[in-house]
């Protein structure tokens, strides 16, 4: 919106006046002006450079849980970037591998079969946990635990804890099939493998 654009231009001008250079291809800082959606898009745009890029979120949108600053904090933002005196909060990302493709998420990853029952086997660290039948599975970080995970009756987790939460989406439970039913909280280093015929069951 126009307000976000005006905040962006004001901050851009001040940083250039301080001698910083603009480099969209190889930045040291990525400044996201908007809401959580804008910040997440910035994360995905630079996901191959996250080990060396600092993302600064400025809240001018509707939801700003992930943004540390307001537009009124412009002086503080400029001072922190110019002086390199800032606190960096590191967050863990979910990594989903499908074939040769890798996907990353800050909040959650969902595997769903929208047309037929999803039939799959779930392994935790190469050990079979269950044979799942249902609509899908949701995997959430602690930071994303208040999103779709929570609507599935998943637990709210302190964002400072490094966990993976697996919640079932409409799991089937009767005499033939009995899913886990309860959400499962795992450690950040646990590896979850979901195998099966998801879309042609």
């Amino acid at each position: 919106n126009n307000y976000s654009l005006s905040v962006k231009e004001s901050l851009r001008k001040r940083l250039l006046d301080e001698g910083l250079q603009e480099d969209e291809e190889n930045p040291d800082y990525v400044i996201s002006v908007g809401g959580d959606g804008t910040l997440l898009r910035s994360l995905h745009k630079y996901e191959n450079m996250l080990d060396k890029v600092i993302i600064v979120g400025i809240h001018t949108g509707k939801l700003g849980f992930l943004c540390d600053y307001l537009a009124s904090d412009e002086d503080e933002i400029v001072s922190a970037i110019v002086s390199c005196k800032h606190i960096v909060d590191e967050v863990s990302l979910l990594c989903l591998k499908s074939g040769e493709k890798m996907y990353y998420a800050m909040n959650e990853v969902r595997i769903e079969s929208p047309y037929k029952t999803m039939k799959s086997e779930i392994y935790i660290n190469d050990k079979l946990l269950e044979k799942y039948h249902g609509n899908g599975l949701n995997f959430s970080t602690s930071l994303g635990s208040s999103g779709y995970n929570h609507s599935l009756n998943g637990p709210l987790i302190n964002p400072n804890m490094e966990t993976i939460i697996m919640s079932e989406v409409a799991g089937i439970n009767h005499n033939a099939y009995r899913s886990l039913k309860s959400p499962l909280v795992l450690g950040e280093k646990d590896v979850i493998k979901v195998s099966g015929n998801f879309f042609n069951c």
Side-chain angles (χ1 to χ4, degrees):
N1 58 34
N2 290 335
Y3 178 58
S4 296
L5 289 173
S6 67
V7 171
K8 171 192 169 185
E9 287 305 316
S10 175
L11 189 58
R12 177 178 176 273
K13 183 179 184 304
R14 289 194 58 181
L15 291 171
L16 290 175
D17 287 346
E18 291 286 347
L20 276 73
Q21 296 179 337
E22 193 170 16
D23 185 353
E24 289 193 21
E25 298 301 320
N26 192 32
D28 295 316
Y29 293 88
V30 173
I31 301 175
S32 169
V33 182
D36 287 351
T38 306
L39 188 142
L40 290 172
R41 284 192 293 275
S42 299
L43 183 147
H44 285 296
K45 181 176 180 179
Y46 293 98
E47 65 182 20
N48 295 325
M49 306 171 62
L50 293 178
D51 57 334
K52 62 177 183 177
V53 169
I54 296 174
I55 298 179
V56 181
I58 303 174
H59 179 217
T60 61
K62 294 180 180 178
L63 292 175
F65 298 115
L66 302 176
C67 300
D68 293 322
Y69 295 102
L70 298 173
S72 57
D73 297 324
E74 186 175 293
D75 289 344
E76 182 182 349
I77 297 166
V78 171
S79 175
I81 292 175
V82 171
S83 66
C84 294
K85 293 180 179 179
H86 41 60
I87 298 173
V88 178
D89 291 325
E90 294 187 356
V91 296
S92 295
L93 301 178
L94 287 174
C95 176
L96 170 68
K97 183 177 181 182
S98 177
E100 297 301 316
K101 293 185 178 181
M102 304 282 282
Y103 304 92
Y104 295 92
M106 182 184 286
N107 286 342
E108 62 195 25
V109 170
R110 194 159 67 243
I111 303 172
E112 285 186 305
S113 179
Y115 303 112
K116 295 184 180 180
T117 299
M118 174 176 153
K119 300 177 182 178
S120 61
E121 295 181 343
I122 302 171
Y123 295 84
I124 308 295
N125 302 322
D126 292 326
K127 293 183 179 180
L128 180 64
L129 173 71
E130 68 168 333
K131 293 183 178 181
Y132 172 77
H133 294 71
N135 285 16
L137 297 164
N138 187 74
F139 302 95
S140 169
T141 63
S142 302
L143 190 64
S145 66
S146 60
Y148 191 58
N149 162 72
H150 191 49
S151 73
L152 297 171
N153 294 318
L156 292 174
I157 303 291
N158 186 321
N160 294 324
M161 297 176 65
E162 303 294 348
T163 62
I164 304 170
I165 309 155
M166 184 184 80
S167 301
E168 297 177 349
V169 182
I172 296 174
N173 286 280
H174 53 54
N175 290 338
Y177 305 124
R178 190 162 301 278
S179 71
L180 196 63
K181 293 172 62 175
S182 175
L184 179 65
V185 180
L186 300 161
E188 64 169 329
K189 294 183 179 179
D190 286 320
V191 177
I192 305 163
K193 179 181 177 182
V194 181
S195 64
N197 191 346
F198 301 156
F199 303 108
N200 296 304
C201 303

